[in-house]
Amino acid sequence: MEETSFTPDRSAYIRAHAWIAAIGMGGAMALLWAIGSPHIWTGAVGGLAAIGLRGWYMASEELAVVWTLTKETLTGPAGRSVQVSEIEAVKTMGSYVQIITKSGDKHLIKYQADPAATLNAIERAKA
């Protein structure tokens, strides 16, 4: 098996942040409604601004993360390394792929354009 790299997809990153913004906007509006604020609409503005700013600020860091899969190891950022033989389970969650090791460690490969393809590649390496 040759080396396979999993890089983040900008569209998946934007889509994930759009969902988070929508949830944040709704949550902030619900909170303001619950406390009786006459300015419920400011929750939408605040939620959108907060997630938009976070997304813009973190984009260069999050989109630079690369995971590399070889026949024997899955290597990620900050020196993370998992032996393929130690992978217990692989799951998808939206545009994320979660790796769970036999010892219980969990790792996320974030913002994948095709999370099912990433999952399948890791499953093939395990076989």
Side-chain angles (χ1 to χ4, degrees):
M1 172 185 182
E2 62 188 51
E3 187 174 279
T4 304
S5 294
F6 305 115
T7 58
D9 178 65
R10 184 173 294 278
S11 295
Y13 181 80
I14 292 169
R15 193 170 38 257
H17 278 76
W19 276 106
I20 295 169
I23 293 166
M25 291 166 67
M29 290 174 66
L31 178 67
L32 290 171
W33 173 78
I35 65 171
S37 173
H39 306 290
I40 295 171
W41 64 272
T42 60
V45 173
L48 180 61
I51 300 303
L53 182 62
R54 183 217 181 267
W56 172 77
Y57 184 76
M58 296 296 295
S60 62
E61 184 177 325
E62 291 285 352
L63 295 174
V65 172
V66 177
W67 286 82
T68 305
L69 176 66
T70 66
K71 189 169 124 178
E72 296 158 355
T73 60
L74 176 65
T75 308
R80 293 184 191 130
S81 183
V82 177
Q83 295 293 84
V84 171
S85 62
E86 289 297 311
I87 295 174
E88 178 75 25
V90 184
K91 302 176 184 180
T92 60
M93 303 180 317
S95 65
Y96 296 178
V97 176
Q98 182 183 43
I99 310 298
I100 303 171
T101 65
K102 292 177 182 175
S103 63
D105 293 335
K106 296 178 181 177
H107 304 277
L108 282 178
I109 301 174
K110 299 180 185 179
Y111 312 116
Q112 295 297 289
D114 188 355
T118 302
L119 180 142
N120 289 333
I122 295 168
E123 290 290 348
R124 279 193 310 273
K126 283 177 48 178

